[in-house]
């Protein structure tokens, strides 16, 4: 059997034309095929006898259950074909290690799958020392895919990516090699199961949490890791009183949460990059009560935790909360921020200068907009209380509505007239007609520039 495989893999094509793909060494060939969906690898079997069984030797499986759906209606033979294919793959060369196992569970809307087979597959790949395990359940709750206990003690696992699956509580978790976790719409038996998972990963570097479901009585999300470098958190609609993260080596933080009242960062001295869309559960109108001291203290501590970052992305809703807070307390200085991007959802810019003054070493500023067409601007930027003495580059990125051209010019004027060392300002006009663009360009030429070396580019 092995000699037959070698003869097929090593055979050279006839003729003078050199087939570079066929002449690749086995190790390199299988590495290339590992990056393709399994259905595409199987298609190669029709090219020649040499490719007939090559899919069996690829050290990974990337399969969608829906790949076996060939009829408009359910036929049990299709599911049996799926089972047979996966069992044959896992049974062949079973002593070798698997680099990747990716399974996307999607099937006919009115048919429930026998998920017990999935558990057997997960157990089998753990025995084969799988390194990357990706399980995506796209049946929208119709089939409950449960991650078995063996996965929680898989010593070879490097990355774990789970979507809409169920994780039961475990008394013991040991994942000594796991560096990357992505949890999307995952249901936990209880909040302790989440904490146990994180604490059982001593070399975890990246954790991404998107709308996980803990339990009905949980009031907080706890993340404690001595090795974590990157943490991304997107909240669900559930109300958690607080998110607490204790990660002294954390370099990157992404936070998208409209419901949590408090986000507590312990040991935040290593934080370098932050992407923040957080309003401290102040409601859809972000009504800040300056007389409510607990919220003021939470905002103050949160801002202090961000004060050491170098690169920052912040939403206009968060900026609005910061602006309201600044009217009753002084903002901390963000001395290390050299790059700032603000994502605006409206034309309320009065809070921008206040925040810019808290970034004394800011060099690059990008303003993005996602404003519905037809919405009119309502705010005009006030003059700054002091000049922008460090700003060198400004880009007004995403296109704005054409009817907001005057407001856009006021924004450009603000930076040109108040930035002492500005080198370049880039203005995007992709939504404007040629005639409208020409008018704006002419007006740009009349705006005085405090920095004599500043250049304006229109895209």
């Amino acid at each position: 059997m092995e000699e037959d495989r070698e003869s097929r893999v090593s055979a050279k094509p006839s003729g003078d034309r050199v087939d570079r793909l066929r002449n690749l060494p086995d190790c390199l060939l299988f590495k290339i095929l590992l990056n393709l969906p399994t259905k595409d690898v199987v298609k190669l079997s029709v090219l020649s006898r040499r490719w007939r069984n090559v899919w069996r030797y690829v050290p990974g499986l990337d399969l969608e259950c829906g790949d076996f759906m060939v009829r408009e209606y359910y036929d049990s033979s299709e599911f049996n074909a799926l089972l047979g294919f996966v069992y044959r793959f896992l049974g062949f060369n079973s002593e070798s290690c698997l680099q990747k196992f990716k399974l996307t569970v999607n099937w006919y809307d009115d048919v429930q799958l026998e998920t017990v087979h999935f558990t057997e597959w997960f157990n089998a790949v753990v025995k084969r020392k799988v390194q990357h395990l990706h399980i995506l359940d796209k049946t929208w709750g119709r089939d409950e895919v449960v991650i078995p206990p063996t996965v929680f003690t898989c010593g070879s696992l490097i990355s774990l990516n789970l979507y809409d699956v169920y994780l039961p509580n475990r008394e013991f978790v040991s994942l000594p090699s796991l560096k990357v976790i992505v949890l999307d719409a995952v249901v936990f038996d209880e909040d302790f199961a989440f904490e146990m998972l994180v604490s059982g990963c001593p070399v975890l570097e990246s954790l991404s949490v998107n709308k996980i479901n803990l339990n009905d009585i949980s009031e907080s999300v706890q993340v404690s890791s001595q090795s974590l470098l990157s943490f991304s958190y997107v909240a669900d609609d559930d109300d958690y009183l607080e998110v607490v993260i204790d990660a002294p080596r954390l370099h990157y933080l992404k936070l998208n949460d409209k419901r949590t009242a408090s986000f507590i960062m312990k040991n935040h001295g290593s934080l370098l990059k932050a992407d923040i869309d957080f309003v401290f559960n102040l409601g859809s109108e972000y009504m800040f009560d300056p007389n409510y001291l607990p919220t003021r203290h939470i905002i103050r501590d949160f801002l202090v935790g961000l004060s050491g970052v170098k690169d920052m992305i912040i939403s206009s809703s968060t900026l609005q909360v910061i602006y309201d807070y600044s009217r009753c307390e002084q903002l901390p200085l963000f001395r290390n921020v050299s790059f700032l991007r603000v994502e605006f959802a409206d034309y309320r810019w009065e809070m921008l200068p206040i925040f810019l003054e808290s970034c004394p070493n800011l060099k690059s500023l990008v303003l993005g907009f996602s404003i519905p067409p037809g919405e009119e601007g309502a705010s005009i930027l006030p003059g700054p209380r002091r000049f922008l003495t460090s700003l060198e580059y400004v880009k007004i990125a995403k296109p704005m509505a054409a009817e907001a051209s005057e407001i856009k010019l006021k924004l450009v004027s603000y930076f040109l007239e108040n930035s002492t060392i500005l080198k370049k300002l880039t203005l995007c006009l992709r939504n404007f007609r040629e005639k409208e663009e020409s008018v704006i360009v002419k007006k740009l030429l009349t705006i005085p520039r405090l920095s004599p070396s500043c250049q304006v580019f229109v895209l």
Side-chain angles (χ1 to χ4, degrees):
M1 174 75 70
E2 186 66 18
E3 292 180 358
D4 182 53
R5 182 185 76 87
E6 290 293 334
S7 64
R8 289 196 304 271
V9 173
S10 302
K12 295 183 178 180
S14 58
D16 297 331
R17 185 174 60 87
V18 177
D19 190 330
R20 295 183 179 181
L21 182 61
R22 293 186 181 184
N23 288 334
L24 286 175
D26 287 1
C27 59
L28 182 56
L29 175 63
F30 296 149
K31 187 175 182 179
I32 294 174
L33 297 180
L34 183 64
N35 295 304
L36 298 177
T38 300
K39 67 175 183 179
D40 293 333
V41 178
V42 173
K43 290 177 181 179
L44 295 175
S45 62
V46 302
L47 297 181
S48 69
R49 291 182 57 190
R50 183 217 176 198
W51 294 90
R52 182 173 301 169
N53 292 311
V54 70
W55 62 273
R56 293 187 175 186
Y57 297 94
V58 177
L61 192 73
D62 181 352
L63 195 66
E64 293 191 18
C65 295
D67 292 339
F68 290 81
M69 296 166 52
V70 296
R71 296 176 174 83
E72 295 181 359
Y73 56 89
Y74 172 66
D75 189 319
S76 60
S77 64
E78 295 174 336
F79 187 60
N80 291 334
L82 167 66
L83 297 180
F85 180 87
V86 178
Y87 279 119
R88 284 198 307 273
F89 175 84
L90 295 176
F92 184 79
N93 204 18
S94 59
E95 299 301 319
S96 65
C97 297
L98 279 181
Q99 293 187 31
K100 179 176 71 174
F101 184 83
K102 180 178 179 180
L103 179 68
T104 301
V105 181
N106 51 352
W107 203 245
Y108 293 95
D109 293 340
D110 57 345
V111 178
Q112 278 192 306
L113 296 174
E114 300 175 32
T115 56
V116 63
H117 295 285
F118 302 152
T119 301
E120 294 180 5
W121 297 346
F122 302 156
N123 291 334
V125 299
V126 168
K127 289 182 180 179
R128 292 185 59 173
K129 299 181 179 180
V130 65
Q131 295 181 7
H132 306 280
L133 181 62
H134 295 192
I135 309 299
L136 293 82
D137 183 359
K138 295 186 177 182
T139 61
W140 312 110
R142 187 180 65 255
D143 300 301
E144 186 177 80
V145 178
V146 181
I147 304 301
T150 53
V151 173
F152 293 93
T153 55
C154 181
S156 60
L157 202 58
I158 296 175
S159 70
L160 179 65
N161 190 324
L162 303 176
Y163 176 83
D164 201 18
V165 301
Y166 177 75
L167 265 64
N169 191 24
R170 299 299 307 163
E171 295 182 357
F172 179 71
V173 175
S174 178
L175 297 165
S177 304
L178 191 62
K179 294 184 177 182
V180 178
I181 297 179
V182 178
L183 305 174
D184 193 346
V186 171
V187 179
F188 285 86
D189 188 44
E190 59 182 42
D191 57 345
F192 183 71
F194 173 73
E195 296 177 27
M196 178 69 73
L197 174 62
V198 175
S199 63
C201 307
V203 297
L204 183 64
E205 295 180 356
S206 177
L207 174 62
S208 179
V209 178
N210 183 23
K211 300 181 181 179
I212 62 171
N213 184 352
L214 299 180
N215 60 60
D216 295 336
I217 62 174
S218 177
E219 295 183 346
S220 66
V221 175
Q222 304 276 340
V223 176
S224 179
S225 173
Q226 297 299 306
S227 59
L228 193 64
L229 302 178
S230 173
F231 179 52
S232 175
Y233 180 77
V234 178
D236 200 351
D237 293 334
D238 295 331
D239 285 314
Y240 298 121
L241 294 184
E242 64 180 11
V243 176
V244 181
I245 178 167
D246 185 0
R249 297 182 60 196
L250 192 69
H251 290 170
Y252 173 78
L253 171 67
K254 179 177 181 179
L255 178 60
N256 188 332
D257 189 345
K258 297 294 194 297
R259 303 295 293 272
T260 300
S262 174
F263 189 94
I264 299 174
M265 290 184 289
K266 301 178 180 179
N267 301 314
H268 50 72
S270 298
L271 193 62
L272 299 177
K273 296 183 179 182
D275 184 347
I276 307 298
D277 185 3
F278 187 52
V279 295
F280 305 92
N281 198 23
L282 294 178
S284 59
E285 300 298 325
Y286 314 127
M287 300 300 295
F288 175 79
D289 182 2
N291 298 317
Y292 188 62
L293 293 181
T295 298
R296 285 171 56 176
H297 293 161
I298 289 172
I299 296 175
R300 178 197 61 201
D301 293 342
F302 180 76
L303 295 179
V304 170
L306 295 177
S307 60
V309 303
K310 294 183 178 180
D311 293 0
M312 183 184 296
I313 301 175
I314 192 168
S315 70
S316 58
S317 56
T318 303
L319 202 60
Q320 181 66 54
V321 174
I322 294 174
Y323 173 72
D324 292 337
Y325 170 83
S326 71
R327 299 167 76 175
C328 58
E329 291 198 25
Q330 185 175 358
L331 294 180
L333 289 179
F334 301 90
R335 297 184 183 275
N336 295 332
V337 173
S338 60
F339 173 83
L340 173 66
R341 181 183 181 103
V342 183
E343 294 290 347
F344 284 97
D346 52 38
Y347 290 118
R348 292 180 297 171
W349 297 331
E350 67 273 8
M351 63 278 198
L352 184 59
I354 302 297
F355 189 73
L356 292 180
E357 290 181 7
S358 298
C359 305
N361 297 305
L362 180 66
K363 294 186 179 299
S364 298
L365 173 66
V366 178
L367 304 180
F369 299 87
S370 56
I371 302 172
E375 181 176 323
E376 295 184 358
S379 296
I380 298 176
L381 280 167
R385 289 175 291 185
R386 61 176 65 96
F387 289 125
L388 305 174
T389 57
S390 63
L391 193 60
E392 297 181 3
Y393 304 98
V394 174
K395 182 178 181 180
I396 303 177
K398 294 181 180 179
M400 300 169 60
E403 54 268 30
S405 59
E406 289 301 320
I407 296 178
K408 195 169 205 178
L409 285 172
K410 293 181 185 298
L411 182 62
V412 172
S413 298
Y414 166 73
F415 290 112
L416 292 181
E417 295 176 359
N418 297 290
S419 303
T420 59
I421 62 170
L422 190 64
K423 297 179 180 179
K424 180 180 178 180
L425 186 145
T426 303
L427 180 63
C428 296
L429 297 176
R430 294 191 184 98
N431 277 4
F432 289 72
R433 297 187 179 93
E434 184 176 349
K435 183 178 180 180
E436 294 170 335
E437 182 176 334
S438 177
V439 172
I440 292 178
V441 170
K442 289 180 181 179
K443 291 183 178 181
L444 282 175
L445 296 176
T446 65
I447 300 175
R449 306 178 190 185
L450 183 60
S451 172
S453 60
C454 178
Q455 294 180 301
V456 178
F457 295 85
V458 178
L459 301 180

